[in-house]
Amino acid sequence: MTVYSRDEAYTLTNSADHIDYYDKWAQTYDQDFAKETKYIYPQKICEELNMRLVAKDSTIADIGCGTGLVGAELRHKKWVIDGFDISVGMLAEASKKGVYRDLIRLDLKNEKDYPTTLYSAVVSCGTFTLGHLGPDVLIKMLRLCADQALCVIGVNLEHFETLGFQSTFIELKSQKKIENFEIICVPIYDEAENVKNKKNIANLCIFNYRRIF
């Protein structure tokens, strides 16, 4: 039996590799990754979202939704949630959780694939991590935001430092495209020893997006 792992996933370098790997991993992902590694990253993101998103009729874009772990954390809310992922296999697993209005295949690198729908909030858990996407894609992703949309974007700490996310956020602030910006550092896994390893820590980048015409 083929065994899939986060460390192997970190080595993937292009969209085709990600699609193939995650399509094959999808059916066992929740058990042999999320459960076995004590993956609390989705919970941490949802805690911040729950504290800050007030309107009951809010719409949420869950970017890189995978098997729907963020959606599952929000199942008791009345918010409308759409999930986006490059892997059809992952989207199929997310559909089984019964929490998403729509599940949409999206290659975040391809601007032509983006829908025109605007959302009250945009969240991302695990999209910006080692072997994955950089700040150029984050900028593209902001086109899904309505004016003053709340964004809770998780970025792996080592990835954040290596790929220059800090300078991207400085530029967005200088352009007045984002406001109320803050970073909250959280563990990705529920094990004390992980706090010593940058690969196991995430920066939650929280801000409001200003849609400037």
Side-chain angles (χ1 to χ4, degrees), residues 2-213:
T2 303
V3 177
Y4 302 94
S5 72
R6 59 186 171 184
D7 292 332
E8 188 174 20
Y10 287 161
T11 68
L12 303 175
T13 59
N14 59 59
S15 296
D17 288 344
H18 279 93
I19 293 169
D20 182 65
Y21 195 84
Y22 283 97
D23 277 352
K24 292 175 180 177
W25 195 7
Q27 291 187 355
T28 60
Y29 183 88
D30 285 2
Q31 176 62 37
D32 62 28
F33 172 68
K35 186 175 180 179
E36 291 297 321
T37 64
K38 300 179 182 178
Y39 187 59
I40 59 172
Y41 198 3
Q43 297 170 23
K44 295 298 182 181
I45 283 181
C46 291
E47 285 172 5
E48 297 301 324
L49 187 69
N50 285 329
M51 285 192 294
R52 300 161 191 269
L53 191 60
V54 177
K56 293 182 179 180
D57 60 348
S58 294
T59 56
I60 300 172
D62 179 6
I63 305 299
C65 66
T67 61
L69 297 174
V70 167
E73 289 291 325
L74 301 174
R75 68 168 62 251
H76 299 300
K77 297 291 184 177
K78 294 184 179 180
W79 298 324
V80 173
I81 311 171
D82 289 343
F84 298 84
D85 203 278
I86 197 171
S87 166
V88 173
M90 287 289 194
L91 292 173
E93 293 302 310
S95 69
K96 297 176 183 179
K97 292 185 170 63
V99 295
Y100 293 93
R101 175 181 64 179
D102 288 320
L103 288 161
I104 302 157
R105 187 190 177 281
L106 174 64
D107 182 348
L108 291 167
K109 294 181 179 180
N110 190 345
E111 297 182 33
K112 294 180 180 180
D113 285 355
Y114 282 76
T116 57
T117 309
L118 301 180
Y119 293 88
S120 310
V122 174
V123 301
S124 183
C125 176
T127 300
F128 298 102
T129 190
L130 300 169
H132 286 57
L133 304 172
D136 56 324
V137 172
L138 183 144
I139 293 173
K140 292 183 176 70
M141 196 173 79
L142 294 178
R143 68 181 57 210
L144 295 172
C145 295
D147 189 40
Q148 295 299 321
L150 172 66
C151 296
V152 183
I153 310 298
V155 185
N156 177 280
L157 178 56
E158 183 172 306
H159 197 56
F160 186 95
E161 295 177 351
T162 303
L163 266 71
F165 280 85
Q166 185 68 50
S167 60
T168 297
F169 283 118
I170 290 172
E171 180 66 17
L172 288 170
K173 286 191 288 183
S174 72
Q175 295 171 351
K176 301 188 184 302
K177 291 183 178 180
I178 65 174
E179 58 187 13
N180 304 318
F181 178 77
E182 63 179 303
I183 292 177
I184 297 175
C185 194
V186 301
I188 296 174
Y189 308 100
D190 189 19
E191 294 180 358
E193 62 268 23
N194 285 318
V195 300
K196 300 177 182 179
N197 188 339
K198 290 182 180 180
K199 290 182 179 180
N200 298 329
I201 299 170
N203 278 345
L204 300 191
C205 305
I206 303 169
F207 54 91
N208 293 101
Y209 179 75
R210 295 184 60 195
R211 179 164 287 278
I212 300 173
F213 297 94

